[in-house]
Amino acid sequence: MKPITMVRIYLTEAEKKLAPLLKYLHDDSQVLGVTVLRGISGFGKSGKIHSAHLIDLSFDLPVIVEFFDTPTKIDHILLQLQTLIEPGHLVHWSAQVNDNNDNS
Amino acid sequence: MKPITMVRIYLTEAEKKLAPLLKYLHDDSQVLGVTVLRGISGFGKSGKIHSAHLIDLSFDLPVIVEFFDTPTKIDHILLQLQTLIEPGHLVHWSAQVNDNNDNS
Amino acid sequence: MKPITMVRIYLTEAEKKLAPLLKYLHDDSQVLGVTVLRGISGFGKSGKIHSAHLIDLSFDLPVIVEFFDTPTKIDHILLQLQTLIEPGHLVHWSAQVNDNNDNS
């Protein structure tokens, strides 16, 4: 096992930040791995509810972008993302990832 | 960055707890943000599998309610949720959120 | 509250590891609870993007298997999963779960 930092970024589909964020993570930062999850409902600071239940085909559902890498690399990425991601929308914590040296 | 507590609550769609939980989080506790995710499969203590694969249109899929706020506010919310959420269905951990003072 | 270890395993649908993993977690390890989430997009070490947007009906979307149990039990499970899960695809961290003794 080795230490990593897990990151979760909370967006909505309507924000149009998903594409530039994924482009940055994939092309520029080349982070270890990214998963994008779509929520079925949610609300943020505004209190406005984004839900698949309220309107037939919502185009403003919550989207979570989740990724992890070494703490040093994530520190660098968080600096780069400062202008793209609004305050209160990026969460991170320490975790461990399995690696080639896991034995016994 | 500032410290927060992340919370994840595990429900199933059939439980009918999602609506009162979201109402509480949105109207009463006014937590910073909530995202609801639907799983495609899962099982709990009962060992009974809830899956989109087993029956054509399952109405008992797993649902995760995820939210975060300051540790003090989450402590208060966890007390309020004690009667609504069964033991073993609410998980929380410490994390950091980006804020206005992140620089350098 | 009592201490647990949270685990997230990152697969893709095409890998065919989901079924044996769930069978192990459900039948053999009898872990407290498991939720399977399907991502809408993602990429891993290869840099190859797995996305619902690129091809009409993707059969290689990212899948996250999430579960938790006591730290001792998870340590044992992680050893058992070493051969099934590739390096860099299993993440874990410490958290707390609500239990019967939560009061005050």
Side-chain angles (χ1 to χ4, degrees):
Chain A
M1 297 287 167
K2 66 174 189 183
I4 52 151
T5 301
M6 287 282 296
V7 183
R8 281 170 91 82
I9 295 174
Y10 300 85
L11 305 172
T12 68
E13 290 186 325
E15 277 178 280
K16 305 291 179 203
K17 286 183 180 173
L18 184 59
L21 175 59
L22 290 182
K23 189 176 156 40
Y24 166 72
L25 292 172
H26 185 268
D27 298 350
D28 301 335
S29 82
Q30 298 182 298
V31 77
L32 277 181
V34 172
T35 308
V36 183
L37 298 155
R38 183 189 279 128
I40 56 169
S41 183
F43 61 87
K45 250 186 320 190
S46 68
K48 192 184 148 202
I49 295 169
H50 304 277
S51 170
H53 298 297
L54 295 183
I55 38 171
D56 235 14
L57 264 176
S58 174
F59 293 104
D60 199 16
L61 287 176
V63 171
I64 298 179
V65 178
E66 173 174 316
F67 57 93
F68 60 88
D69 210 314
T70 60
T72 309
K73 191 157 171 188
I74 294 294
D75 283 350
H76 175 77
I77 290 172
L78 297 189
L79 284 178
Q80 299 295 314
L81 292 179
Q82 265 185 56
T83 50
L84 188 65
I85 310 299
E86 283 178 273
H89 286 71
L90 183 153
V91 165
H92 67 96
W93 65 90
S94 298
Q96 301 279 324
V97 70
N98 67 334
D99 66 4
N100 285 310
N101 301 316
D102 292 340
N103 40 25
S104 88
Chain B
M1 297 286 167
K2 66 175 190 183
I4 52 152
T5 301
M6 287 282 297
V7 183
R8 280 170 92 82
I9 295 174
Y10 300 85
L11 305 172
T12 67
E13 290 186 324
E15 277 177 280
K16 306 289 179 204
K17 286 184 179 172
L18 185 59
L21 175 59
L22 291 183
K23 189 174 155 44
Y24 166 73
L25 292 173
H26 184 269
D27 298 349
D28 301 336
S29 81
Q30 298 183 299
V31 76
L32 276 182
V34 172
T35 308
V36 183
L37 298 155
R38 183 190 280 128
I40 56 169
S41 182
F43 61 87
K45 249 185 319 190
S46 68
K48 193 184 148 203
I49 295 170
H50 304 276
S51 171
H53 299 297
L54 295 183
I55 35 171
D56 236 15
L57 264 176
S58 174
F59 293 105
D60 199 16
L61 288 176
V63 171
I64 298 178
V65 179
E66 174 175 317
F67 57 94
F68 60 86
D69 211 314
T70 60
T72 310
K73 192 158 171 188
I74 293 295
D75 283 351
H76 175 76
I77 290 172
L78 296 188
L79 284 177
Q80 299 295 314
L81 291 179
Q82 266 185 57
T83 51
L84 187 65
I85 309 300
E86 283 178 274
H89 286 70
L90 183 154
V91 165
H92 66 96
W93 65 89
S94 299
Q96 302 279 324
V97 70
N98 67 334
D99 67 4
N100 284 312
N101 302 315
D102 292 341
N103 41 26
S104 86
Chain C
M1 298 288 167
K2 66 175 189 183
I4 52 151
T5 301
M6 287 282 297
V7 183
R8 280 170 92 81
I9 295 174
Y10 300 85
L11 305 172
T12 68
E13 291 186 324
E15 277 177 280
K16 306 289 179 204
K17 287 184 178 171
L18 184 59
L21 175 59
L22 291 183
K23 188 176 155 41
Y24 166 73
L25 292 173
H26 184 267
D27 298 349
D28 301 335
S29 82
Q30 298 182 298
V31 76
L32 277 182
V34 172
T35 308
V36 183
L37 298 155
R38 184 189 279 129
I40 57 168
S41 183
F43 61 86
K45 250 186 319 190
S46 68
K48 192 183 148 203
I49 295 169
H50 305 276
S51 170
H53 298 298
L54 295 183
I55 36 171
D56 235 16
L57 265 175
S58 175
F59 294 104
D60 199 17
L61 287 177
V63 171
I64 299 178
V65 178
E66 174 175 317
F67 57 94
F68 60 87
D69 210 313
T70 60
T72 309
K73 190 158 173 188
I74 294 294
D75 282 351
H76 176 76
I77 291 172
L78 296 189
L79 283 178
Q80 299 295 315
L81 292 179
Q82 265 185 58
T83 51
L84 187 66
I85 309 299
E86 283 177 274
H89 287 70
L90 183 153
V91 165
H92 66 96
W93 65 90
S94 299
Q96 302 278 324
V97 69
N98 67 334
D99 66 4
N100 284 312
N101 301 316
D102 292 341
N103 41 24
S104 91

